[in-house]
Amino acid sequence: MYKIMVIEDDPAIREELEVLLKNALYEPVCPQSFEDPAGQILRESPDLVLLDVNLPGENGIQVCRKLRNASDVPVIFVTSRNTSMDELECITGGGDDYISKPYRRLFFLPGSRRC
């Protein structure tokens, strides 16, 4: 089972992603504290990180840059910032991909129709 860490400060989005990931048979880890997110990621050692840009304290790009000093875990930015400059900043900040919110469901749940 793959462990996916969701670093998202919006409780509704975090909970939706947690449910979707569980239903897709992944192991979601969804911290609700944003003290040292890079350290939390390193301690959990996930297979993938879904990282919001707008976080309390340091932003997701700063978190990703810190993370890249110690890990090559894949990072997908999931953010409401949606300009080409925002995407470029996320990718040059160490991200592997970029999804802008609001997003369409990309997960296919077992036994469900395509959303």
Side-chain angles (χ1 to χ4, degrees), residues 25-81:
L25 304 178
Y26 294 105
E27 178 186 344
V29 177
C30 304
Q32 297 179 22
S33 166
F34 301 98
E35 297 286 327
D36 187 29
Q40 290 179 12
I41 294 166
L42 292 171
R43 285 188 293 279
E44 285 291 335
S45 190
D47 297 294
L48 173 69
V49 177
L50 300 179
L51 180 60
D52 189 9
V53 173
N54 298 319
L55 296 171
E58 58 188 344
N59 69 41
I61 296 167
Q62 293 167 318
V63 171
C64 190
R65 285 186 178 130
K66 284 184 179 179
L67 187 60
R68 287 295 172 240
N69 289 328
S71 174
D72 62 352
V73 63
V75 174
I76 299 175
F77 281 99
V78 181
T79 181
S80 58
R81 295 184 181 185

